[in-house]
Amino acid sequence: VQLQASGGGLVQAGGSLRLSCAASGRTFSQYAMGWFRQAPGKEREFVAVISWSGGSTRYADPVQGRFTIARENAKKTVYLQMNSLKPEDTAVYYCAASYYSGIDYYTRTDFGSWGQGTLVTVSS
């Protein structure tokens, strides 16, 4: 599957952004989808994952309660709604397709296809 992320930009602290990730390929609906982010000088880290059906989600502690992951299988698209943004959320955000259908596996090595990344900058 090929992935194309979009929706990044510059936003003030406390603001919101919605990222989208459009997929191509027939197998999108079979796999869990995730979002990761990489801040300058830091490792790429897990943000959120959603199961193949959309029925289960998991979030990293720093974004729990502020971010929401969702998917529309008919549109082959996964979203990341980001609210109450903080300067520490500044990073390049990547969407990724898991090797698995569920959310039990969510490290970088559990995802086989990656989008190109979209930059989110949160100003203070």
Side-chain angles (χ1 to χ4, degrees), residues 3 15 21 26 28-29 37 53 56 93 96-97 103 105 111 115-116:
L3 305 172
C21 176
R26 295 178 295 174
F28 173 80
S29 61
R37 66 186 182 185
S53 66
S56 299
Y93 283 71
I103 61 171
Y105 304 95
F111 293 78
Q116 85 289 1

Side-chain angles (χ1 to χ4, degrees), residues 1 10 16 23 37 41 43-44 49 53 60 70 72 82-83 87 89 91 106-108 113 121-122:
V1 62
L10 175 64
S16 298
R37 66 186 182 185
E43 294 288 319
R44 192 172 301 188
V49 61
S53 66
E72 290 188 78
M82 305 185 294
N83 298 330
D89 294 318
Y106 51 97
T107 67
R108 288 175 56 183
S113 298
T121 303
V122 184

